[in-house]
Amino acid sequence: REIVHFLSIGSTNDKAKELANNGCREGLIVVAEEQTGGRGRLGRQWVSPQYRGIWMSVVLRPDIQPMEAQKLTLLSALAVSNAIEECTGLKVDIKWPNDLVVSGKKICGILTEMSAEVDKVNHVVIGIGINANMSAEDIPDELKDKATSLAIELGYNVDRKNLFRYISRNIDELYTCFINANQWHDLMVEYREKCINVGRRAVISKGDVSWEGMVTDIDDDGALIVLDGHGEKKRIISGDVSI
Ligand code: BTN
């Protein structure tokens, strides 16, 4: 597999999109020791100090409908959480759709970006940011009660190269399950088991509007099923969900 490595870069997602637009192969990974303009979901910034994390982006070219791209987000969350568990022994939960949390605090975020036409996907870039060896001082004050790192939780630094290998391998494996065999349903069963939202209340926000409800399920398309205050079932496909 092709891996492009940078000591420092603006954002691995931007580089991966550029390479994808120039026709790079599926499976290419861009990885950097530091990002100076790391991006998070919903236009947020993503703190990515040098040597402290895993900042990587994978280019995929799935033959799917644009509507199905959400599945790749869930698949990646599952693959990365399994990789971290196998590598560190920590228990890693998923907060829908794709935040990974340890002891209730975020250790990894995933930013999926797609280039598509009406009924065809050109490419999908899966950007993965793991707070691997960040110390408490590396975490901005306003995030301290929401975010943590593997090193903080474990009490020692992790081997980032090894973790990177596990992640690449797990993504490969689940992606192959998804594309080749029709094993999507089984992946969703595993996803639901790891997802902390099911059976709990959640606040759903979109733009300026937010409301509270009870999460009852995640359907096979990866949408969150939420009962609102009037007992009405709502199907959430995107937005910000907090507990
Ligand atoms: C989130 O908001 O939770 C998503 C964070 C995604 C961060 C990763 S780090 C590698 C890749 N490059 C970026 O600029 N963002 C993603």
Side-chain angles (χ1 to χ4, degrees):
R1 89 139 71 227
E2 200 179 339
I3 297 170
V4 194
H5 175 260
F6 293 88
L7 205 51
S8 178
I9 200 169
S11 153
T12 56
N13 261 38
D14 292 344
K15 181 49 99 180
K17 285 198 280 184
E18 180 192 318
L19 296 173
N21 284 325
N22 290 336
C24 78
R25 279 223 214 150
E26 169 164 85
L28 176 120
I29 297 181
V30 178
V31 58
E33 302 297 343
E34 167 192 59
Q35 294 185 115
T36 53
R39 295 186 291 107
R41 289 176 70 219
L42 310 168
R44 295 178 188 134
Q45 81 164 60
W46 186 261
V47 179
S48 324
Q50 197 164 40
Y51 304 129
R52 295 299 168 92
I54 293 184
W55 326 122
M56 64 184 278
S57 302
V58 186
V59 177
L60 299 176
R61 298 188 183 281
D63 185 10
I64 57 171
Q65 294 292 314
M67 264 185 46
E68 285 183 279
Q70 164 87 337
K71 291 183 175 175
L72 294 173
T73 299
L74 304 193
L75 179 157
S76 311
L78 187 59
V80 177
S81 71
N82 285 342
I84 298 174
E85 286 192 338
E86 287 161 18
C87 231
T88 64
L90 289 170
K91 183 172 181 297
V92 183
D93 300 315
I94 301 173
K95 184 171 144 306
W96 187 89
N98 55 356
D99 283 353
L100 303 189
V101 296
V102 171
S103 315
K105 291 185 178 184
K106 182 158 167 174
I107 40 117
C108 169
I110 299 176
L111 178 67
T112 309
E113 296 186 290
M114 165 173 68
S115 151
E117 287 154 43
V118 181
D119 57 359
K120 170 176 166 282
V121 169
N122 297 323
H123 64 252
V124 177
V125 169
I126 312 274
I128 300 161
I130 303 178
N131 300 340
N133 293 338
M134 282 163 82
S135 63
E137 298 86 73
D138 293 320
I139 297 177
D141 281 339
E142 65 276 17
L143 296 180
K144 281 210 166 49
D145 55 344
K146 283 195 204 151
T148 186
S149 74
L150 297 176
I152 294 172
E153 297 303 313
L154 288 165
Y156 56 85
N157 279 350
V158 298
D159 180 342
R160 290 181 306 131
K161 234 186 194 157
N162 193 38
L163 183 53
F164 174 84
R165 282 193 208 106
Y166 270 83
I167 292 169
S168 316
R169 209 178 52 209
N170 274 285
I171 291 180
D172 264 2
E173 194 184 303
L174 295 196
Y175 184 63
T176 310
C177 278
F178 170 53
I179 293 295
N180 295 350
N182 226 341
Q183 295 175 18
W184 179 248
H185 180 77
D186 298 338
L187 293 186
M188 278 310 298
V189 170
E190 201 185 334
Y191 181 94
R192 272 184 211 100
E193 275 167 16
K194 294 198 114 179
C195 180
I196 53 175
N197 299 87
V198 182
R200 287 213 215 168
R201 302 196 70 77
V203 179
I204 321 288
S205 326
K206 194 151 200 182
D208 292 336
V209 188
S210 76
W211 53 281
E212 203 182 307
M214 175 59 111
V215 179
T216 57
D217 198 7
I218 296 167
D219 68 18
D220 265 8
D221 295 326
L224 207 60
I225 310 298
V226 187
L227 273 186
D228 71 9
H230 311 285
E232 219 171 291
K233 254 191 195 172
K234 295 267 161 65
R235 196 171 168 272
I236 313 296
I237 49 171
S238 72
D240 211 14
V241 172
S242 52
I243 301 177

